[in-house]
Amino acid sequence: MTALERDDIQGNVLRGYGFPFARYAFARVRPDGADAARGWLARQADPVTTEAEWSGKPLHARNVAISYAGLQALRIPGWLAATFPEEFRCGMAARADRLGDAGDGAPERWDDGLRAGDIHVLASIAARTEDGVARECERVREEMAASGLEPGHVQPAEQPSDRREHFGFTDGFGQPSIAGVARHGVPGQGIPVRRRPWHRFRAGIVPSRTDRKLAWRAVRPGEFVLGYEDEDGGPPPAPAPPLHRNGTFMVWRKLRQDVAGFRRFVADAADETGIDPGLVAAKVLGRWPDGSPLVLRPAYGDARLGNDRERVNDFAYGGDTAGAACPRGAHIRRANPRDALRAGGGRLTARHRILRRGMPYGPPLDEGVEDDGVDRGLVFVSFQASIERQFEIVQARWLNDGDAFGLARTPDPVAGAVGDGGARVAFGGCPPHYATAMRAFVTPRGGEYLFVPGIAALRAFATL
C-alpha cells in the first residue's frame, strides 16, 4: 500500500487533535475579493497544521476548508469545479429532503450565518486553552478581513474533561482504525473479521460459538483521503488536478440537543415499560453513560470496561441478532452496524465509515432543571472520501430509516428525522417493551459540505 503523504494532508483528519477548545470561523468571499482570497488560501499552506508527527504538542492548530459556493466565489475554472462530486456541488441545504432536515430543522430555519450560501470558507481553530483559541481565532479573522474575505459566524465548542456529551454519555468511541496510521491495532476500531481456531479444526474439534473470536483489520485510507486505495480496491473519485490528492470532504453540522426533552422521554418510558430509567437511556443509546457497551454489559454499566481502550470496542452484534442485549434500534448500533446488517455484514459497513471530529457546544444542563432555554448541542464534524456514500448513507438509510435493521421505517430518535408518526423504540424483553418518542431530540441548526484541500492543493490556489 502506498505510504501516506502525511505532510501534505491537513491535520485532525486521520488522527484527532484532542484539544479541549475549538472555534469554527466562517467567511464569505467579497465580490471584489476573489484574487486576494485565493492568495490567502495559498498562504495557509504554511500555518495550517498537517498530519505530520509532532515533536511536541503545539499551543493551537489551524485548518481550512472550502464549500462549492466558495469555489465559485473564488472564480476557479469552471471545468475544474465541475469535476467535484454532485452532492458537494449541491451543498447540504439542497440535500435536506435526503437528510430529513425538515420542520424546525429545515434549512430556512437554520441560524443566521449558517444557511445556504452563508459559508464560503471555514477556518477551524483548536487550542489548549479558551483564551488561546479566542486569540488565534481573532488573528485568523483579521487575516481574512485583510484578504478579500468577509468574516461571518463564529461557533465555539468545548470538550469536557470527562468527554461526556449533553445527554450524559461518554462520546468518541468507535472511530475507524486506518491502515498506515495506527501504530497498533485497537480491537473494535476497524472491520470485524471472523477468526477460526484452525488448530482445533485439525484436531477434529468443531469450535463452539465462544471459540469463534473476532479479529479486526484496519480500514483502507482511501475511505477517508483522496488518492489512496479504498475498500473497493482503487482510489475514490476525486476532483481533477491540482486538487485531486491528499484532500478530503468535510460535513459540518450544528446540531441542537433537547436535553430536557430527552430526560422527560426516558422518565416517561421508564414509567410505561417498568424498566429502570438508567437502562432505558442505555438501550436508546446502546452504551451506558460510562461508555461500556450494552452488548457486553446488558444489565449494568462497567466503568473499568468503559475506560479500557483495548476492550471497550471489542464487540460485534452477530451474537445478538434479536437485540436482546443491545436493541437493534440503539443509536450506536445504527450509526455503526459492524456485522449487524442483514446483508453484507462487516464488508458492507466498511464502505460507510466516517471519521468524527466534533465537539459539544454550550453549557451542560444541570440535573433536575427542566429547560433553561440555553442553546446547547453538538458541532458535528465528519471526514470522508465520499459524502454521498458515507455520511448520507449513515444519516438517510440507517438513522432516518430502520429498514436495514428490520425496523421498517422507524427513525432513530437520537439523531434521526422523527416525523409526525414518532419513533417507536423497542427495549427488548419477552414480550418486548415499547415506547414512542414523538419528536427528535437533535435538531439541525445549520451546516455545509466542504472540501479540505491537501497542502500542495492549497498552494495551487495562487495560480488557479
Side-chain angles (χ1 to χ4, degrees), residues 167 256-259 261-262 265 413-414 418 437 439-443:
F167 290 148
R256 180 175 295 163
Q257 291 178 255
D258 179 8
V259 179
F262 178 76
F265 168 73
V414 175
V418 178
R439 57 195 176 97
F441 302 118
V442 172
T443 305

Side-chain angles (χ1 to χ4, degrees), residues 124 166 177 251 259 333 396:
S124 302
H166 286 299
S177 178
V251 173
V259 179
R333 187 163 179 165

Side-chain angles (χ1 to χ4, degrees), residues 238-398:
L243 306 180
H244 63 301
R245 188 167 179 81
N246 291 320
T248 186
F249 290 99
M250 171 195 280
V251 173
W252 193 99
R253 280 164 78 79
K254 180 178 179 180
L255 302 173
R256 180 175 295 163
Q257 291 178 255
D258 179 8
V259 179
F262 178 76
R263 292 174 181 173
R264 285 194 301 271
F265 168 73
V266 167
D268 291 344
D271 289 340
E272 185 177 348
T273 63
I275 300 174
D276 180 80
L279 182 55
V280 167
K283 283 181 176 290
V284 172
L285 269 294
R287 290 187 187 271
W288 295 92
D290 59 30
S292 52
L294 268 179
V295 74
L296 297 181
R297 296 291 184 270
Y300 57 88
D302 182 348
R304 290 185 62 184
L305 175 60
N307 288 299
D308 188 336
R309 185 169 178 264
E310 296 295 321
R311 294 193 301 140
V312 69
N313 274 308
D314 192 8
F315 66 88
Y317 300 109
D320 185 33
T321 55
C326 178
R328 288 177 294 158
H331 173 68
I332 69 164
R333 187 163 179 165
R334 294 174 69 138
N336 177 17
R338 301 179 185 234
D339 62 343
L341 295 179
R342 293 180 294 176
R347 293 188 302 275
L348 178 59
T349 302
R351 295 292 283 157
H352 308 296
R353 299 299 302 275
I354 60 176
L355 293 165
R356 295 181 297 116
R357 300 286 183 248
M359 275 190 183
Y361 73 88
L365 180 66
D366 292 336
E367 291 290 340
V369 176
E370 175 59 20
D371 193 349
D372 57 7
V374 174
D375 185 21
R376 58 176 55 84
L378 174 71
V379 173
F380 174 91
V381 175
S382 72
F383 296 106
Q384 53 275 299
S386 168
I387 293 172
E388 187 278 332
R389 175 172 53 80
Q390 291 165 275
F391 167 73
E392 289 191 344
I393 289 291
V394 173
Q395 183 65 53
R397 300 276 186 88
W398 294 351

Side-chain angles (χ1 to χ4, degrees), residues 7-31:
D7 58 355
D8 196 47
I9 302 171
Q10 290 201 46
N12 207 39
V13 176
L14 299 177
R15 297 171 297 175
Y17 287 147
F19 285 113
F21 299 95
R23 294 286 188 278
Y24 302 93
F26 298 95
R28 286 177 51 85
V29 179
R30 293 200 300 263

Side-chain angles (χ1 to χ4, degrees), residues 161-228:
S161 58
D162 61 4
R163 300 196 64 80
R164 298 280 178 110
E165 50 75 52
H166 286 299
F167 290 148
F169 289 78
T170 307
D171 197 14
F173 297 101
Q175 297 281 22
S177 178
I178 305 168
V181 176
R183 292 182 177 88
H184 68 280
V186 177
Q189 290 192 333
I191 299 169
V193 180
R194 290 287 175 188
R195 178 174 59 203
R196 296 179 178 179
W198 295 109
H199 65 285
R200 301 199 69 191
F201 275 123
R202 294 192 191 102
I205 301 172
V206 177
S208 68
R209 176 171 293 185
T210 56
D211 286 330
R212 300 187 186 113
K213 297 182 182 299
L214 279 175
W216 301 87
R217 72 165 177 84
V219 183
R220 292 171 180 169
E223 293 295 314
F224 311 106
V225 181
L226 305 179
Y228 300 91

